[in-house]
Structure formats: C-alpha cells, structure tokens
Amino acid sequence: TIETCIYCSFASIRRKATDSFAKENGATFSIQRELFIWLGYKAFHLVLSKKRTLYNLVLEQLQKTLDSKRVSPKTKVQMSQMKAVVREGWANMTALQY
C-alpha cells in the first residue's frame, strides 16, 4: 500500500543515514517522522493527480488522509515551510511526461 511504502521509506532512509559509513561521512537525518509521512502522502497525491480519471478513488482517500493527519504545532510550521519546496518540485515535475 501507499502507507507501507511511505513508512518503509522512512525506516530505510533513517537506517542508512545512521549506519557506520554514513556516520563516517557526516550524514545526518533530522526530518521528523510526521513531516516525512506528510511529504510522502503529498508526493503520491501530486503524482497520481496527473492521471486523475484513473486514480480518482485513490486520490480521494489520499486527500482524506492528508486532511485527517494530526500534527504538532512545530510540525505545522515545518509543513508550511515545506509547501514551498513541494511547489518548486512540482513545477519541475510538470516538465516530465507520464
């Protein structure tokens, strides 16, 4: 599922960023779990919305999930900061053909 993909991605990135090779090379992973999950859902929603007629039911569920996520005030501030990053990334994605 999409949720599993997002959670596994978070765990995998965190694990790789904290292994000995990453530490030796100064890697860090400081993004909060809540924010990472929100970004994951937002990314899936944006990409699937390119083919809205095919993924309408999935998009509705993703939007409900995005709307229902309870986040801390600190994360809300970070989310508003990340929206600019999402917009910029989306602007670059529009150049790609699906």
PDB file of all heavy atoms in Angstrom, residues 8 17-18 23 25-26 30-31 38-39 45-46 57-59 79 86 93 96 98:
ATOM      1  N   CYS A   8       8.030   2.435   5.130  1.00  0.00           N
ATOM      2  CA  CYS A   8       9.255   1.675   4.844  1.00  0.00           C
ATOM      3  C   CYS A   8      10.356   2.585   4.320  1.00  0.00           C
ATOM      4  O   CYS A   8      11.534   2.389   4.644  1.00  0.00           O
ATOM      5  CB  CYS A   8       8.970   0.553   3.855  1.00  0.00           C
ATOM      6  SG  CYS A   8       8.029  -0.801   4.561  1.00  0.00           S
ATOM      7  N   ALA A  17      21.067   6.356   7.008  1.00  0.00           N
ATOM      8  CA  ALA A  17      21.702   7.594   7.462  1.00  0.00           C
ATOM      9  C   ALA A  17      22.394   7.440   8.805  1.00  0.00           C
ATOM     10  O   ALA A  17      23.174   8.307   9.196  1.00  0.00           O
ATOM     11  CB  ALA A  17      20.674   8.714   7.544  1.00  0.00           C
ATOM     12  N   THR A  18      22.122   6.351   9.493  1.00  0.00           N
ATOM     13  CA  THR A  18      22.739   6.149  10.805  1.00  0.00           C
ATOM     14  C   THR A  18      23.719   4.982  10.836  1.00  0.00           C
ATOM     15  O   THR A  18      24.231   4.661  11.903  1.00  0.00           O
ATOM     16  CB  THR A  18      21.648   5.925  11.883  1.00  0.00           C
ATOM     17  OG1 THR A  18      20.841   4.807  11.518  1.00  0.00           O
ATOM     18  CG2 THR A  18      20.780   7.156  12.047  1.00  0.00           C
ATOM     19  N   LYS A  23      27.830   7.710   9.097  1.00  0.00           N
ATOM     20  CA  LYS A  23      28.387   8.488  10.209  1.00  0.00           C
ATOM     21  C   LYS A  23      29.811   8.943   9.903  1.00  0.00           C
ATOM     22  O   LYS A  23      30.185  10.076  10.194  1.00  0.00           O
ATOM     23  CB  LYS A  23      28.353   7.681  11.495  1.00  0.00           C
ATOM     24  CG  LYS A  23      26.972   7.543  12.080  1.00  0.00           C
ATOM     25  CD  LYS A  23      26.987   6.715  13.353  1.00  0.00           C
ATOM     26  CE  LYS A  23      25.581   6.543  13.881  1.00  0.00           C
ATOM     27  NZ  LYS A  23      25.549   5.667  15.050  1.00  0.00           N
ATOM     28  N   ASN A  25      30.996   9.661   7.130  1.00  0.00           N
ATOM     29  CA  ASN A  25      30.950  10.702   6.107  1.00  0.00           C
ATOM     30  C   ASN A  25      30.086  11.898   6.498  1.00  0.00           C
ATOM     31  O   ASN A  25      29.771  12.747   5.661  1.00  0.00           O
ATOM     32  CB  ASN A  25      30.474  10.104   4.790  1.00  0.00           C
ATOM     33  CG  ASN A  25      31.521   9.190   4.204  1.00  0.00           C
ATOM     34  OD1 ASN A  25      32.528   9.653   3.705  1.00  0.00           O
ATOM     35  ND2 ASN A  25      31.305   7.882   4.301  1.00  0.00           N
ATOM     36  N   GLY A  26      29.680  11.944   7.754  1.00  0.00           N
ATOM     37  CA  GLY A  26      28.966  13.097   8.277  1.00  0.00           C
ATOM     38  C   GLY A  26      27.503  13.200   7.882  1.00  0.00           C
ATOM     39  O   GLY A  26      26.915  14.280   7.945  1.00  0.00           O
ATOM     40  N   SER A  30      17.559  14.366   9.977  1.00  0.00           N
ATOM     41  CA  SER A  30      16.912  15.098  11.062  1.00  0.00           C
ATOM     42  C   SER A  30      15.444  15.407  10.803  1.00  0.00           C
ATOM     43  O   SER A  30      14.830  16.092  11.608  1.00  0.00           O
ATOM     44  CB  SER A  30      17.667  16.406  11.324  1.00  0.00           C
ATOM     45  OG  SER A  30      17.690  17.190  10.147  1.00  0.00           O
ATOM     46  N   ILE A  31      14.879  14.922   9.730  1.00  0.00           N
ATOM     47  CA  ILE A  31      13.472  15.215   9.444  1.00  0.00           C
ATOM     48  C   ILE A  31      12.588  14.418  10.398  1.00  0.00           C
ATOM     49  O   ILE A  31      12.850  13.254  10.699  1.00  0.00           O
ATOM     50  CB  ILE A  31      13.112  14.918   7.972  1.00  0.00           C
ATOM     51  CG1 ILE A  31      11.716  15.441   7.637  1.00  0.00           C
ATOM     52  CG2 ILE A  31      13.248  13.450   7.654  1.00  0.00           C
ATOM     53  CD1 ILE A  31      11.392  15.440   6.162  1.00  0.00           C
ATOM     54  N   TRP A  38       3.853  13.164   5.928  1.00  0.00           N
ATOM     55  CA  TRP A  38       3.044  14.142   5.201  1.00  0.00           C
ATOM     56  C   TRP A  38       3.603  14.369   3.799  1.00  0.00           C
ATOM     57  O   TRP A  38       2.861  14.395   2.819  1.00  0.00           O
ATOM     58  CB  TRP A  38       3.000  15.460   5.973  1.00  0.00           C
ATOM     59  CG  TRP A  38       2.268  16.532   5.240  1.00  0.00           C
ATOM     60  CD1 TRP A  38       0.911  16.710   5.188  1.00  0.00           C
ATOM     61  CD2 TRP A  38       2.835  17.558   4.426  1.00  0.00           C
ATOM     62  NE1 TRP A  38       0.612  17.797   4.391  1.00  0.00           N
ATOM     63  CE2 TRP A  38       1.776  18.333   3.909  1.00  0.00           C
ATOM     64  CE3 TRP A  38       4.139  17.897   4.074  1.00  0.00           C
ATOM     65  CZ2 TRP A  38       1.980  19.421   3.081  1.00  0.00           C
ATOM     66  CZ3 TRP A  38       4.343  18.983   3.244  1.00  0.00           C
ATOM     67  CH2 TRP A  38       3.271  19.721   2.756  1.00  0.00           C
ATOM     68  N   LEU A  39       4.930  14.517   3.704  1.00  0.00           N
ATOM     69  CA  LEU A  39       5.558  14.713   2.391  1.00  0.00           C
ATOM     70  C   LEU A  39       5.317  13.507   1.480  1.00  0.00           C
ATOM     71  O   LEU A  39       5.085  13.670   0.283  1.00  0.00           O
ATOM     72  CB  LEU A  39       7.063  14.952   2.548  1.00  0.00           C
ATOM     73  CG  LEU A  39       7.477  16.335   2.997  1.00  0.00           C
ATOM     74  CD1 LEU A  39       8.959  16.350   3.359  1.00  0.00           C
ATOM     75  CD2 LEU A  39       7.177  17.358   1.922  1.00  0.00           C
ATOM     76  N   HIS A  45      -0.019  12.033  -3.850  1.00  0.00           N
ATOM     77  CA  HIS A  45      -1.216  12.743  -4.312  1.00  0.00           C
ATOM     78  C   HIS A  45      -0.907  13.583  -5.553  1.00  0.00           C
ATOM     79  O   HIS A  45      -1.657  13.558  -6.535  1.00  0.00           O
ATOM     80  CB  HIS A  45      -1.774  13.615  -3.191  1.00  0.00           C
ATOM     81  CG  HIS A  45      -3.111  14.194  -3.504  1.00  0.00           C
ATOM     82  ND1 HIS A  45      -3.266  15.336  -4.246  1.00  0.00           N
ATOM     83  CD2 HIS A  45      -4.360  13.768  -3.196  1.00  0.00           C
ATOM     84  CE1 HIS A  45      -4.549  15.599  -4.384  1.00  0.00           C
ATOM     85  NE2 HIS A  45      -5.239  14.665  -3.745  1.00  0.00           N
ATOM     86  N   LEU A  46       0.205  14.311  -5.506  1.00  0.00           N
ATOM     87  CA  LEU A  46       0.557  15.157  -6.647  1.00  0.00           C
ATOM     88  C   LEU A  46       0.832  14.344  -7.909  1.00  0.00           C
ATOM     89  O   LEU A  46       0.366  14.686  -8.994  1.00  0.00           O
ATOM     90  CB  LEU A  46       1.767  16.020  -6.305  1.00  0.00           C
ATOM     91  CG  LEU A  46       1.514  17.167  -5.331  1.00  0.00           C
ATOM     92  CD1 LEU A  46       2.823  17.810  -4.906  1.00  0.00           C
ATOM     93  CD2 LEU A  46       0.598  18.202  -5.945  1.00  0.00           C
ATOM     94  N   LEU A  57     -10.379   7.418  -7.047  1.00  0.00           N
ATOM     95  CA  LEU A  57     -10.693   6.851  -5.725  1.00  0.00           C
ATOM     96  C   LEU A  57      -9.484   6.890  -4.792  1.00  0.00           C
ATOM     97  O   LEU A  57      -9.617   7.197  -3.606  1.00  0.00           O
ATOM     98  CB  LEU A  57     -11.206   5.415  -5.870  1.00  0.00           C
ATOM     99  CG  LEU A  57     -12.547   5.259  -6.585  1.00  0.00           C
ATOM    100  CD1 LEU A  57     -12.889   3.788  -6.778  1.00  0.00           C
ATOM    101  CD2 LEU A  57     -13.643   5.964  -5.804  1.00  0.00           C
ATOM    102  N   VAL A  58      -8.314   6.600  -5.337  1.00  0.00           N
ATOM    103  CA  VAL A  58      -7.092   6.650  -4.534  1.00  0.00           C
ATOM    104  C   VAL A  58      -6.817   8.089  -4.093  1.00  0.00           C
ATOM    105  O   VAL A  58      -6.458   8.342  -2.941  1.00  0.00           O
ATOM    106  CB  VAL A  58      -5.890   6.086  -5.327  1.00  0.00           C
ATOM    107  CG1 VAL A  58      -4.599   6.239  -4.544  1.00  0.00           C
ATOM    108  CG2 VAL A  58      -6.121   4.638  -5.696  1.00  0.00           C
ATOM    109  N   LEU A  59      -7.015   9.024  -5.009  1.00  0.00           N
ATOM    110  CA  LEU A  59      -6.788  10.434  -4.687  1.00  0.00           C
ATOM    111  C   LEU A  59      -7.724  10.920  -3.594  1.00  0.00           C
ATOM    112  O   LEU A  59      -7.307  11.681  -2.706  1.00  0.00           O
ATOM    113  CB  LEU A  59      -6.938  11.291  -5.944  1.00  0.00           C
ATOM    114  CG  LEU A  59      -5.796  11.160  -6.950  1.00  0.00           C
ATOM    115  CD1 LEU A  59      -6.188  11.783  -8.278  1.00  0.00           C
ATOM    116  CD2 LEU A  59      -4.532  11.787  -6.411  1.00  0.00           C
ATOM    117  N   MET A  79       5.670  22.134   7.969  1.00  0.00           N
ATOM    118  CA  MET A  79       4.873  21.799   6.785  1.00  0.00           C
ATOM    119  C   MET A  79       4.660  23.034   5.927  1.00  0.00           C
ATOM    120  O   MET A  79       4.766  22.958   4.699  1.00  0.00           O
ATOM    121  CB  MET A  79       3.523  21.210   7.202  1.00  0.00           C
ATOM    122  CG  MET A  79       3.615  19.777   7.665  1.00  0.00           C
ATOM    123  SD  MET A  79       2.101  19.148   8.432  1.00  0.00           S
ATOM    124  CE  MET A  79       0.892  19.388   7.173  1.00  0.00           C
ATOM    125  N   VAL A  86       7.610  21.759  -2.017  1.00  0.00           N
ATOM    126  CA  VAL A  86       6.702  20.919  -2.790  1.00  0.00           C
ATOM    127  C   VAL A  86       6.287  21.639  -4.072  1.00  0.00           C
ATOM    128  O   VAL A  86       6.293  21.057  -5.148  1.00  0.00           O
ATOM    129  CB  VAL A  86       5.466  20.513  -1.953  1.00  0.00           C
ATOM    130  CG1 VAL A  86       4.419  19.842  -2.813  1.00  0.00           C
ATOM    131  CG2 VAL A  86       5.885  19.612  -0.799  1.00  0.00           C
ATOM    132  N   MET A  93       8.354  18.906 -11.968  1.00  0.00           N
ATOM    133  CA  MET A  93       7.744  17.640 -12.401  1.00  0.00           C
ATOM    134  C   MET A  93       6.843  17.836 -13.599  1.00  0.00           C
ATOM    135  O   MET A  93       6.663  16.924 -14.399  1.00  0.00           O
ATOM    136  CB  MET A  93       6.928  17.023 -11.257  1.00  0.00           C
ATOM    137  CG  MET A  93       7.746  16.437 -10.143  1.00  0.00           C
ATOM    138  SD  MET A  93       8.687  14.996 -10.654  1.00  0.00           S
ATOM    139  CE  MET A  93       7.381  13.845 -10.981  1.00  0.00           C
ATOM    140  N   LEU A  96       7.955  16.692 -16.949  1.00  0.00           N
ATOM    141  CA  LEU A  96       8.029  15.263 -17.268  1.00  0.00           C
ATOM    142  C   LEU A  96       6.717  14.786 -17.851  1.00  0.00           C
ATOM    143  O   LEU A  96       5.651  15.214 -17.445  1.00  0.00           O
ATOM    144  CB  LEU A  96       8.353  14.448 -16.017  1.00  0.00           C
ATOM    145  CG  LEU A  96       9.674  14.765 -15.323  1.00  0.00           C
ATOM    146  CD1 LEU A  96       9.785  13.942 -14.043  1.00  0.00           C
ATOM    147  CD2 LEU A  96      10.854  14.470 -16.229  1.00  0.00           C
ATOM    148  N   TYR A  98       4.104  11.612 -18.416  1.00  0.00           N
ATOM    149  CA  TYR A  98       3.768  10.320 -17.815  1.00  0.00           C
ATOM    150  C   TYR A  98       3.119   9.454 -18.851  1.00  0.00           C
ATOM    151  O   TYR A  98       2.334   9.828 -19.618  1.00  0.00           O
ATOM    152  CB  TYR A  98       2.820  10.508 -16.624  1.00  0.00           C
ATOM    153  CG  TYR A  98       3.511  11.171 -15.458  1.00  0.00           C
ATOM    154  CD1 TYR A  98       3.470  12.561 -15.306  1.00  0.00           C
ATOM    155  CD2 TYR A  98       4.199  10.430 -14.538  1.00  0.00           C
ATOM    156  CE1 TYR A  98       4.092  13.161 -14.238  1.00  0.00           C
ATOM    157  CE2 TYR A  98       4.830  11.035 -13.463  1.00  0.00           C
ATOM    158  CZ  TYR A  98       4.772  12.392 -13.331  1.00  0.00           C
ATOM    159  OH  TYR A  98       5.378  12.989 -12.270  1.00  0.00           O
TER     160      TYR A  98
END
